[in-house]
Amino acid sequence: MESPSYQDFCLKPFTTRSNRKALIQISNTLIPYGLLWWLMLQATEISLWFTPPFLIILSLFSLRSFSLMHDCGHGSLFETPRLNRIFGFLFGVINAVPQLSWSIDHAYHHKTNGDWERYRGVADFLSLDEFLNLSRNEQRIYTTIHHPLMALPGGFYYLAIKPRLDLLVGLVTPKNRMWGSREEFNDLCLSNFFSLIGVVCLGSWIGFGLFLSLYSIILCLTASSLIYVFYVQHIFENSYANPSKGWSPIRGALEGSSLLILPPLLQWFTANIGFHNIHHLCERIPNYNLKACHQRNQHLLRNVPTLRLESMLECSKFVLWDPSNASLTTIP
């Protein structure tokens, strides 16, 4: 069956953004996030054993704030670029990640989705031939790095360490700088500065050891959840993984992105990002319109890859790209 074209989809009516809806989403995220932090700190005065439920729920709100930051980066949450920029920066500080740099990198992913010659997925996959040409020890290292459990330390590195390391490396060795413009550099500095101010203020208030321990656990849980969700939205059996020659953006969106069916509560915490085919067809659609847009175009989405929560772990075995078959494959 021939894939539908962009013109077949009804997308434009759903790109309408609402400042009111955006502010409601932000208040529904930040107010509970702050309240839960306060309640958790009260609970720690009784016993640290009361903190695990708070940490899990806080990581979910942190995940939602990251998803809203993602929308701001696409300019799809608020009506104006200025508001998207302000609140995107704020959500970036909450999750200790400079929003502008992240959004620029994410935009490249959208521009190349399904073109595995230019973009090697969430974990910089090797091709099958590249893997087979590695030494036995190098193959073991690659296999270990791409194990599902590595999402925990990898996620912590991604949020807690990498933004600071990128700035330091770029300042010490300019040829390795990660920013491409003065605006991006300023955002990187300001985001790190405000994150540091937050750590100093809260650490002075409740104790640096306690705050850093709790915040690190939240970041670790948040980042690993992000990695898993983003992973299965593009890495799955029969995912569209074409070389640059003959690459089709429409097939990249429809066949290189999955429809992730989540329970309603998790769908809310991920800000509807499970409707990923629609998101890749038009990233200007705000998250609060994605579901309606999906339902409006459901007759054109019958054959898109569909995943559920229980099938997510199965996707983790696809860690190599096979250019000869234009597909993802497992380690031999």
Side-chain angles (χ1 to χ4, degrees):
M1 182 179 176
E2 187 177 351
S3 296
S5 66
Y6 279 115
Q7 290 71 28
D8 296 324
F9 287 90
C10 177
L11 301 172
K12 192 172 182 180
F14 297 96
T15 60
T16 303
R17 289 154 290 161
S18 166
N19 286 344
R20 179 177 172 275
K21 288 183 178 179
L23 287 171
I24 290 173
Q25 289 206 331
I26 287 173
S27 62
N28 287 344
T29 303
L30 294 186
I31 293 174
Y33 182 80
L35 181 61
L36 283 164
W37 258 105
W38 182 81
L39 288 172
M40 180 173 66
L41 293 178
Q42 302 307 307
T44 59
E45 295 182 4
I46 302 172
S47 172
L48 288 175
W49 290 107
F50 288 121
T51 59
F54 287 103
L55 292 170
I56 293 171
I57 299 172
L58 275 166
S59 71
L60 289 173
F61 276 101
S62 183
L63 173 63
R64 179 169 169 80
S65 71
F66 196 101
S67 296
L68 295 180
M69 183 197 81
H70 158 267
D71 281 8
C72 289
H74 285 301
S76 65
L77 190 62
F78 286 94
E79 297 172 15
T80 63
R82 183 176 180 82
L83 285 174
N84 281 309
R85 187 73 188 87
I86 291 171
F87 282 96
F89 179 85
L90 173 63
F91 282 125
V93 171
I94 288 172
N95 284 300
V97 59
Q99 183 261 341
L100 184 60
S101 297
W102 186 90
S103 296
I104 290 171
D105 185 64
H106 185 69
Y108 182 77
H109 154 67
H110 270 258
K111 189 186 298 184
T112 58
N113 187 44
D115 180 352
W116 276 69
E117 198 167 349
R118 287 198 292 166
Y119 183 78
R120 292 292 185 87
V122 64
D124 296 324
F125 289 175
L126 295 177
S127 70
L128 181 58
D129 287 341
E130 288 169 342
F131 177 81
L132 294 175
N133 286 329
L134 295 177
S135 68
R136 186 59 62 87
N137 283 336
E138 289 171 331
Q139 289 181 354
R140 289 197 189 100
I141 293 171
Y142 182 87
T143 303
T144 302
I145 289 174
H146 290 82
H147 190 278
L149 289 178
M150 290 301 292
L152 288 168
F156 180 77
Y157 169 81
Y158 182 69
L159 287 186
I161 299 174
K162 187 176 183 297
R164 267 51 70 188
L165 189 61
D166 286 347
L167 180 59
L168 289 174
V169 170
L171 290 173
V172 174
T173 56
K175 66 177 181 179
N176 294 321
R177 63 180 50 167
M178 302 299 293
W179 56 89
S181 66
R182 169 62 66 175
E183 182 185 11
E184 195 176 344
F185 173 70
N186 290 341
D187 181 81
L188 196 62
C189 291
L190 280 173
S191 181
N192 279 301
F193 173 74
F194 280 105
S195 294
L196 179 62
I197 291 296
V199 169
V200 170
C201 291
L202 291 169
S204 300
W205 176 34
I206 65 174
F208 284 97
L210 177 61
F211 172 73
L212 289 174
S213 298
L214 296 174
Y215 188 51
S216 295
I217 293 171
I218 292 170
L219 285 184
C220 190
L221 293 174
T222 301
S224 58
S225 300
L226 286 167
I227 289 172
Y228 276 122
V229 170
F230 185 70
Y231 191 99
V232 300
Q233 286 173 335
H234 301 287
I235 313 298
F236 47 85
E237 189 172 12
N238 299 321
S239 176
Y240 181 73
N242 216 65
S244 296
K245 186 177 181 180
W247 168 67
S248 165
I250 183 74
R251 290 191 65 190
L254 296 179
E255 302 171 34
S257 304
S258 67
L259 170 62
L260 181 59
I261 307 296
L262 294 171
L265 190 61
L266 287 181
Q267 185 172 304
W268 186 84
F269 277 117
T270 55
N272 291 324
I273 202 60
F275 298 102
H276 217 59
N277 316 99
I278 288 293
H279 174 62
H280 267 273
L281 284 169
C282 183
E283 64 267 19
R284 300 289 288 181
I285 297 173
N287 71 78
Y288 42 81
N289 288 343
L290 282 174
K291 184 177 180 179
C293 187
H294 171 85
Q295 291 172 339
R296 174 65 177 80
N297 295 280
Q298 207 160 19
H299 61 292
L300 298 170
L301 299 167
R302 291 171 183 162
N303 297 319
V304 299
T306 303
L307 297 175
R308 297 184 181 276
L309 204 58
E310 60 269 20
S311 61
M312 290 176 68
L313 195 59
E314 182 70 13
C315 299
S316 64
K317 65 183 182 181
F318 298 101
V319 295
L320 293 172
W321 174 50
D322 185 357
S324 59
N325 293 315
S327 65
L328 303 180
T329 188
T330 60
I331 290 177

